[in-house]
Amino acid sequence: MKTTVGFFFGGNSVEHEVSIISCVQAMQNTNKEKYNIIPIYIAKNKKMYYSEHFFNIENFKNISELLKKAVPVFLTIENNSVVIKAQKDSVFKKFKPIALDVAFPVVHGTNCEDGSLQGYFELLGIPYVGCDVLASALGMDKYMFKLALKEKNVPVLNCITFTSNEYTENSEKIIENIEKNIGYPLIIKPQNLGSSVGISKVENIDELKEAILLAQNFALNILAEKAVENLREINCSVVGYYDEFEASECEEPIMQDKILSYEDKYLSGGKNSKDAKTEGSKGMSSLSRKLPADITAEQKALIQKYAVESFKAIGGHGVARIDFLMNDKTKEIFVNEINTIPGSLAFYLWEASGIPYSELITKLIKLAFKRQRNKENLSFSINTNILNGNFGGLKK
Ligand SMILES: Nc1ncnc2c1ncn2[C@@H]1O[C@H](COP(=O)(O)OP(=O)(O)O)[C@@H](O)[C@H]1O
Ligand SMILES: [Mg+2]
């Protein structure tokens, strides 16, 4: 019997569109002999939809038209299974509920990749691919992630974190602190976004103020950290669970400007991308890159080791991409960030390591069931007669 996989994508995030591309690619590369593929799109208004039309990226060019043909659905439990059902007020009265065996979130960014969607799956009790709530949340928050790595002696850049409100009330003090303890050139970034949105490299106080104003539009918490000079960026993916992790080949993304921008990542139409029958942008797989990265065997081994340690430090599961910043003169290496649902699921790094995309997807789904089996061996209830007792004694 085939396993039914619900692919969740979209979401209320600045990376909504990137997620559509990542998910359509993933569905196209899922083994159809083993799996029934059920696409569930989370629109920007947070409603969920199901449609056979979601398999074709072209249809997303006009989302409002597309959604007229899609069934608005919700998740519930029937006969001990998690099902998607048509919303009561929808015109799709004949839509039969579909039972899902496993959820596969291919979402990026806040309100979905950060543990929100994972928490929903936990609540429903459905096995799901990838990081759990805590690992997702730690991976999304650039400051908390650094704390987790520091604890394990994985090198990260020192930073200063402040809230948007603190800045509005006390901007002079915060600027003084940043200039004194970090110094130019430095980077200002929202603490929990992705895709380079709201990030600036600054060389002086005027640019610093402007950069903070920009970041304030996107996040309540803002991070300032030293800019790595003579910058080269190296990324490495990790797949695994618990204490069995494997690191991929390393890539070196090519940037056009001071920082790797949204345009570099998704609109540059790189040469090494795999055609996933998606015309136009191919998401992270369209980035111009050197793959394998032009680094020494020692550098590669160190990056792979830090990549595994980083994923392990947050309690990771599934596939992640860990991004490094390297000073090409001093050869210092820092972990910059982790993507717990990486763009294009980092399939291109695994292909370069000899693992085809469909195999990667199969592995991720198997890992989801493995975690579920392990969880089922844990106890989630205790025998108690507390409800028969005297509630007057209840203190808390
Ligand atoms: N400390 C830094 N020094 C130099 N460049 C940086 C630094 N932090 C970020 N960048 C540049 O900005 C880009 C985006 O920053 P990153 O922290 O990766 O955020 P995002 O989650 O949006 O990808 C990086 O790929 C890199 O080009
Ligand atoms: Mg990044």
Side-chain angles (χ1 to χ4, degrees):
M1 242 191 40
K2 285 191 190 181
T3 301
T4 302
V5 189
F7 280 86
F8 290 77
F9 64 109
N12 185 21
S13 131
V14 294
E15 292 169 286
H16 182 94
E17 288 75 12
V18 183
S19 152
I20 296 172
I21 298 168
S22 284
C23 192
V24 172
Q25 278 176 340
M27 293 190 296
Q28 285 171 348
N29 286 282
T30 299
N31 185 333
K32 289 163 193 68
E33 273 153 34
K34 282 190 186 150
Y35 302 113
N36 288 322
I37 303 168
I38 305 299
I40 298 147
Y41 171 60
I42 309 170
K44 284 193 178 172
N45 65 8
K46 307 179 193 77
K47 276 192 175 177
M48 288 189 198
Y49 294 87
Y50 163 81
S51 171
E52 288 289 323
H53 300 290
F54 293 160
F55 290 108
N56 186 348
I57 194 76
E58 286 294 307
N59 292 334
F60 285 92
K61 288 190 172 156
N62 188 341
I63 292 182
S64 54
E65 276 307 306
L66 175 61
L67 293 188
K68 285 182 195 158
K69 295 182 272 182
V71 188
V73 292
F74 65 102
L75 278 88
T76 186
I77 294 167
E78 275 184 4
N79 306 323
N80 288 325
S81 290
V82 174
V83 296
I84 55 166
K85 275 186 100 163
Q87 298 266 6
K88 278 229 172 66
D89 55 355
S90 91
V91 294
F92 297 88
K93 300 273 182 270
K94 291 207 178 111
F95 180 81
K96 285 210 184 83
I98 302 173
L100 306 177
D101 296 314
V102 58
F104 197 138
V106 191
V107 286
H108 306 307
T110 35
N111 305 317
C112 32
E113 184 185 352
D114 57 2
S116 320
L117 193 50
Q118 292 74 9
Y120 187 45
F121 295 145
E122 291 280 352
L123 206 57
L124 290 165
I126 186 170
Y128 59 97
V129 170
C131 283
D132 65 8
V133 175
L134 178 63
S136 303
L138 283 172
M140 183 56 62
D141 188 298
K142 293 188 158 102
Y143 181 66
M144 293 301 170
F145 178 57
K146 281 176 194 281
L147 291 187
L149 296 207
K150 274 189 182 169
E151 168 76 16
K152 300 284 177 194
N153 296 318
V154 180
V156 289
L157 288 161
N158 283 330
C159 66
I160 288 174
T161 172
F162 52 96
T163 68
S164 193
N165 277 349
E166 278 166 353
Y167 183 74
T168 308
E169 279 165 22
N170 222 339
S171 51
E172 265 175 40
K173 209 165 163 208
I174 288 176
I175 288 198
E176 197 186 304
N177 188 15
I178 293 174
E179 288 190 319
K180 190 166 153 227
N181 291 303
I182 302 228
Y184 301 108
L186 59 91
I187 299 277
I188 292 293
K189 54 176 96 166
Q191 200 162 302
N192 64 350
L193 275 196
S195 288
S196 303
V197 174
I199 299 190
S200 320
K201 181 174 179 186
V202 304
E203 312 273 351
N204 54 52
I205 190 163
D206 292 336
E207 288 178 5
L208 174 59
K209 288 179 177 169
E210 212 175 296
I212 296 175
L213 280 181
L214 174 72
Q216 280 182 309
N217 289 322
F218 295 103
L220 299 176
N221 294 295
I222 297 164
L223 216 63
E225 68 186 20
K226 188 85 190 152
V228 172
E229 300 197 77
N230 314 301
L231 178 65
R232 283 177 69 190
E233 298 189 50
I234 311 288
N235 302 338
C236 178
S237 179
V238 173
V239 163
Y241 167 46
Y242 204 48
D243 47 16
E244 285 176 25
F245 293 101
E246 205 185 325
S248 74
E249 190 51 83
C250 298
E251 64 163 335
E252 179 170 3
I254 309 296
M255 51 188 167
Q256 309 296 332
D257 203 351
K258 288 185 284 193
I259 67 165
L260 196 63
S261 66
Y262 189 91
E263 284 72 22
D264 288 333
K265 285 174 178 170
Y266 307 118
L267 303 171
S268 57
K271 301 167 200 75
N272 296 327
S273 59
K274 175 173 188 262
D275 182 20
K277 297 186 211 100
T278 49
E279 290 306 315
S281 174
K282 295 180 180 66
M284 261 312 273
S285 59
S286 77
L287 174 82
S288 299
R289 58 168 58 82
K290 277 190 206 149
L291 175 56
D294 188 10
I295 49 178
T296 65
E298 291 75 35
Q299 283 170 328
K300 178 174 155 179
L302 191 62
I303 284 172
Q304 289 178 323
K305 173 173 149 322
Y306 287 151
V308 168
E309 285 173 1
S310 302
F311 201 30
K312 221 173 153 175
I314 61 167
H317 182 116
V319 64
R321 197 191 72 235
I322 294 90
D323 296 351
F324 292 79
L325 303 170
M326 180 165 95
N327 182 327
D328 201 30
K329 265 206 185 125
T330 63
K331 304 296 177 200
E332 283 169 295
I333 292 171
F334 304 94
V335 173
N336 177 35
E337 62 155 345
I338 190 164
N339 294 282
T340 53
I341 307 182
S344 299
L345 299 181
F347 79 81
Y348 47 91
L349 290 174
W350 290 101
E351 271 190 354
S353 316
I355 298 178
Y357 196 5
S358 67
E359 243 177 65
L360 173 68
I361 288 174
T362 299
K363 182 164 190 161
L364 294 173
I365 295 171
K366 283 189 176 159
L367 281 175
F369 285 114
K370 188 173 175 187
R371 174 173 54 200
Q372 189 73 1
R373 281 195 301 277
N374 289 348
K375 265 168 65 173
E376 278 161 8
N377 291 333
L378 301 174
S379 193
F380 286 106
S381 70
I382 51 169
N383 282 331
T384 172
N385 61 1
I386 188 171
L387 294 174
N388 297 327
N390 176 358
F391 294 110
L394 211 57
K395 292 274 187 334
K396 268 189 185 173

